[in-house]
Amino acid sequence: VKMKFSAAILVSKKKIIIDNLEVPKLRYGQVLVKILYSSICQTQIGEIFGTRGKDYYLPHCLGHEAVGIVVDKHKSVLKVNLDNKVCLSWIKGSGIDSGGTIYKNEKGKTINAGPVNTFSEYAVVSENRVYKLKSKDNTINSVLLGCAVPTAFNAIFYSLEKVKKGPLYVFGCGGVGLATILAAKIKKVTPIIGIDINEHKLKIAKTFGANKVFNFKDKNFDRDLLNCFNSNFPTMIECTGNTKALNFCIERTNPFGGKILVIGNYSKPSKFTLDPWNIINGKTLLGAWNDQNEFDDKFNFFKKK
């Protein structure tokens, strides 16, 4: 008798259904995980609303990060064992890259899934998207290790590893922005400045470690920001996915060594105009991830932090 479970499935733009799927026979490098908690990231919201370009895999399962328990695995999998508590992430680590999964619903229709999918009771996941947790680790909080925390901490501790002092400007105080502020606080970078258009998020940013906050919608925003630290903008981190905010960061960042690190999730297609003199004058534009090393060591580093 095949094992069945419920899953949230994207069938078309903005349309999600709950359907019953069958667990397929596990292939080389695959792990079956019982999902305990899953979160939703901006990437998945963009996928649901069709802002990430044409979706070639409909209908398909959703979800990029979760915490669960290993209930079965292919004999080729060595990274985890049965009953291990694990974090699931879209970020590749060590282990076999088994690719995506093909499920079937009760009518025999094919339902696609990527190497990790989490909006379901159970999920078949590629070994290299699974990270072992300790049984004592906080289960629900560990979901953040699947997306927001590693992205933010990687930016501060790896991509910007030489940045020791501020001011550090974090543009956007959503999940990734708040995690970035927290990482900068742990690294003892100061001062940290949080920028957003939402007053509630700015209040939270202060509790996470922002020394000052500014509302981008305020009439005097630009003047107040310029006066705050004598027009000094050595490092700006863009977390909004808004090209207007990205342009602001590029224009404001210091010449001769200033850095703009981009974490924001942009809709596709997105374009902006770049004055080449910003590059000629020594500004560096970086992405959040700047190496392809296996993620396992970093995962354990972020977990300890």
Side-chain angles (χ1 to χ4, degrees), residues 33 103 218-219:
V33 178
Y103 296 106
D218 283 353
K219 180 173 63 176

Side-chain angles (χ1 to χ4, degrees), residues 6 20 35 63 77 85 102 115 118 129 137 175 188 206-207 243:
S6 296
N20 292 322
I35 304 297
V77 173
K85 184 194 287 187
I102 301 295
T118 65
R129 310 302 175 98
D137 288 339
K188 298 182 180 180
K206 285 185 176 180
T207 68
T243 54

Side-chain angles (χ1 to χ4, degrees), residues 50-237:
T51 61
R52 295 185 58 78
K54 184 174 177 60
D55 196 328
Y56 294 95
Y57 299 100
L58 295 171
H60 63 75
C61 295
L62 293 163
H64 283 169
E65 48 277 327
V67 169
I69 303 293
V70 175
V71 295
D72 199 4
K73 65 172 188 170
H74 188 270
K75 63 182 180 181
S76 58
V77 173
L78 302 177
K79 188 174 181 179
V80 293
N81 292 310
L82 301 187
D83 297 325
N84 283 168
K85 184 194 287 187
V86 292
C87 177
L88 309 183
S89 175
W90 64 272
I91 305 166
K92 290 183 180 181
S94 64
I96 299 164
D97 189 347
S98 65
T101 302
I102 301 295
Y103 296 106
K104 298 281 187 180
N105 68 8
E106 292 177 313
K107 296 180 179 179
K109 184 176 180 179
T110 295
I111 308 296
N112 297 306
V116 60
N117 55 102
T118 65
F119 292 178
S120 55
E121 294 176 302
Y122 291 84
V124 176
V125 183
S126 177
E127 182 184 23
N128 69 338
R129 310 302 175 98
V130 176
Y131 299 91
K132 186 176 177 180
L133 296 168
K134 294 179 180 179
S135 58
K136 65 180 181 180
D137 288 339
N138 184 293
T139 302
I140 192 167
N141 288 353
S142 295
V143 175
L144 296 174
L145 289 166
C147 184
V149 168
T151 301
F153 275 62
N154 188 75
I156 295 297
F157 284 92
Y158 288 88
S159 297
L160 294 174
E161 62 177 326
K162 293 183 180 179
V163 174
K164 304 295 183 184
K165 61 180 181 178
L168 174 75
Y169 297 83
V170 179
F171 219 114
C173 297
V176 175
L178 292 173
T180 301
I181 290 170
L182 179 61
K185 180 183 179 182
I186 291 171
K187 195 179 179 182
K188 298 182 180 180
V189 178
T190 188
I192 305 165
I193 298 90
I195 302 168
D196 206 286
I197 60 173
N198 185 305
E199 285 294 331
H200 179 64
K201 290 181 180 179
L202 291 174
K203 288 179 182 178
I204 298 174
K206 285 185 176 180
T207 68
F208 271 62
N211 302 104
K212 284 187 174 292
V213 295
F214 294 91
N215 193 316
F216 190 56
K217 283 187 173 181
D218 283 353
K219 180 173 63 176
N220 298 320
F221 164 77
D222 211 13
R223 183 199 67 190
D224 293 343
L225 195 67
L226 286 168
N227 291 337
C228 187
F229 296 104
N230 299 317
S231 304
N232 184 25
F233 299 90
T235 310
M236 301 191 82
I237 302 180

